[in-house]
Amino acid sequence: MNYLYHNIGLRITIADNLQFTVCKSIHIESSVQVLSNSAKIELPREFRNAVDEVGKSINIAGKSILDFIKRGDAIKIEFGYDGDLQTEFEGYITKIGAELPLVLECEDEMFQLKKAPRITKFIKSGKLIDILKDVIPANYTIESNGDYSIGKWLIEDATPYNVLEELREKAEIRAYFKNPNTLCVGKIVDFKAEAVHKFNFSENVRRGSSLKFEQKESKPLEVIVKSKQSNGQEYTYSTGVKGGGSKIISMPGLTKEEIKIWADKTHKSLSINGFEGSLDSWCYPRTKPGDAAQLYRPYYKDRHQDGRYFIESVSIDVNGSDGIKRTNGLSYKL
């Protein structure tokens, strides 16, 4: 289905009281693999008018944009075809460019977790959910995709964002905001698809998509998990194939059973059959990281590349040359 002949509409709302309905370009990056989703908006070289929250025109000709917006202001980006505008990004302005055309850089709710009070605490239970409940502000809902034990955990003078970053680096835990109120946390193989979107390569997939199907046998990987105990002894467990790449994880205080579970989950998440590259589409379907793509490739008679795949990243470009373009990064087969 070709969407090139539909009318594109957009609405950018800043601090709930200022709106723009035109811009030069929008670029949005979102992924379950990174903590912060981001957006970049390029306003026209000359912008003279905006509207307030009730649609009344505001003349900003000859005035500094800094009189109306500032770093930390909330921002919402909506766009679509033929008047069907839906929210594609919510967050905060983190940087306002100093030159024309004006560029606004934005970040999602992680911006607030970076500014949250620092804490120092020792979580003896080693349960991931206990760590999160102690550091994530109570106004957020936490969705944990598994009953994870990661060993005794010491938090030293860290913001919630710092803690999530450490969990990501040391324990392969992924965390992302699926909406401004809900933080999803877990191993990538444990994330459940929020929605399923159909893609037929002869109908709604753009030319130029850079998908490449990879077998896990072509990427041998060994995962080694080490856990130091309170008595000084260290447990070690390894899984996977030696002679290729390796991933070493150190987490104190895990039992032998927990070490094996952790190693197996990590290996499964890093060594998978599936696509590498991107699947490019238009505004529809409105995919998001954490969704699933149901693929149909009619020119493969054995249907070996059909199937349902986890969407781990989505980047969106809105501009005069691409229209509305989604680049969907696919991960493992569901």
Side-chain angles (χ1 to χ4, degrees):
M1 186 178 296
N2 195 317
Y3 294 107
L4 296 178
Y5 302 103
H6 289 227
N7 294 318
I8 295 175
L10 62 90
R11 181 167 55 236
I12 300 167
T13 305
I14 300 174
D16 292 327
N17 58 11
L18 184 68
Q19 290 184 354
F20 294 94
T21 55
V22 294
C23 73
K24 187 173 181 180
S25 67
I26 298 171
H27 179 73
I28 298 172
E29 290 280 353
S30 55
S31 174
V32 302
Q33 293 281 18
V34 298
L35 292 177
S36 299
N37 296 332
S38 62
K40 184 179 290 187
I41 302 167
E42 187 176 2
L43 293 173
R45 181 173 294 275
E46 295 183 7
F47 46 93
R48 297 188 176 89
N49 291 284
V51 296
D52 61 17
E53 70 276 15
V54 295
K56 183 179 178 180
S57 179
I58 302 172
N59 188 343
I60 60 176
K63 299 178 183 178
S64 171
I65 191 66
L66 298 179
D67 294 337
F68 298 89
I69 62 176
K70 63 183 183 302
R71 183 178 185 275
D73 278 347
I75 187 166
K76 179 167 69 172
I77 302 172
E78 303 166 272
F79 51 78
Y81 297 133
D82 303 325
D84 178 23
L85 307 187
Q86 295 187 27
T87 301
E88 297 284 352
F89 180 86
E90 290 183 86
Y92 304 88
I93 297 173
T94 57
K95 184 178 180 180
I96 302 173
E99 299 178 355
L100 291 178
L102 182 70
V103 175
L104 304 179
E105 296 184 21
C106 314
E107 191 174 349
D108 71 356
E109 201 65 26
M110 286 293 176
F111 177 74
Q112 297 293 358
L113 296 192
K114 290 180 178 179
K115 301 193 305 174
R118 293 177 174 272
I119 66 170
T120 297
K121 193 164 187 177
F122 180 66
I123 292 86
K124 187 176 181 179
S125 72
K127 297 291 186 181
L128 176 62
I129 192 64
D130 292 339
I131 297 171
L132 296 173
K133 286 181 177 178
D134 278 339
V135 299
I136 303 299
N139 56 304
Y140 297 110
T141 298
I142 301 169
E143 287 189 2
S144 180
N145 292 281
D147 184 19
Y148 302 100
S149 290
I150 59 176
K152 299 174 182 179
W153 205 268
L154 176 62
I155 301 170
E156 294 185 281
D157 191 32
T159 65
Y161 180 86
N162 295 147
V163 175
L164 293 176
E165 193 170 40
E166 188 176 16
L167 288 168
R168 180 180 182 276
E169 292 174 355
K170 292 184 177 181
E172 292 290 330
I173 289 292
R174 297 297 184 256
Y176 70 98
F177 278 101
K178 74 174 185 180
N179 60 54
N181 303 312
T182 306
L183 181 71
C184 290
V185 184
K187 301 287 285 185
I188 189 170
V189 293
D190 292 329
F191 285 129
K192 305 299 188 296
E194 296 288 329
V196 179
H197 307 281
K198 295 181 179 180
F199 288 96
N200 186 321
F201 279 71
S202 64
E203 295 179 0
N204 63 343
V205 176
R206 284 182 183 244
R207 295 182 182 274
S209 297
S210 59
L211 288 180
K212 182 181 179 182
F213 193 81
E214 293 282 352
Q215 297 285 351
K216 63 183 178 182
E217 289 79 8
S218 66
K219 299 179 291 183
L221 175 70
E222 181 184 22
V223 173
I224 303 168
V225 177
K226 300 180 179 181
S227 183
K228 193 171 184 178
Q229 305 301 300
S230 58
N231 61 4
Q233 185 180 4
E234 185 175 72
Y235 296 154
T236 301
Y237 178 83
S238 66
T239 187
V241 181
K242 298 180 183 293
S246 63
K247 177 74 177 179
I248 300 175
I249 299 174
S250 296
M251 292 186 291
L254 296 184
T255 66
K256 291 182 178 180
E257 182 181 357
E258 289 169 339
I259 292 172
K260 182 179 185 304
I261 292 172
W262 204 252
D264 290 342
K265 278 184 175 291
T266 300
H267 185 266
K268 183 179 178 181
S269 68
L270 297 176
S271 180
I272 52 179
N273 291 332
F275 285 101
E276 290 186 351
S278 64
L279 182 154
D280 298 341
S281 61
W282 285 267
C283 182
Y284 303 134
R286 292 183 184 268
T287 56
K288 295 180 179 180
D291 289 351
Q294 184 72 43
L295 304 189
Y296 174 59
R297 307 194 81 176
Y299 34 84
Y300 286 111
K301 292 183 179 180
D302 65 359
R303 310 290 290 273
H304 74 282
Q305 291 189 11
D306 288 5
R308 185 170 295 182
Y309 290 83
F310 185 74
I311 301 174
E312 71 173 33
S313 66
V314 178
S315 63
I316 307 173
D317 287 287
V318 184
N319 54 53
S321 58
D322 292 317
I324 300 177
K325 177 183 176 182
R326 292 181 191 270
T327 301
N328 302 282
L330 303 187
S331 184
Y332 58 91
K333 196 171 185 178
L334 296 171

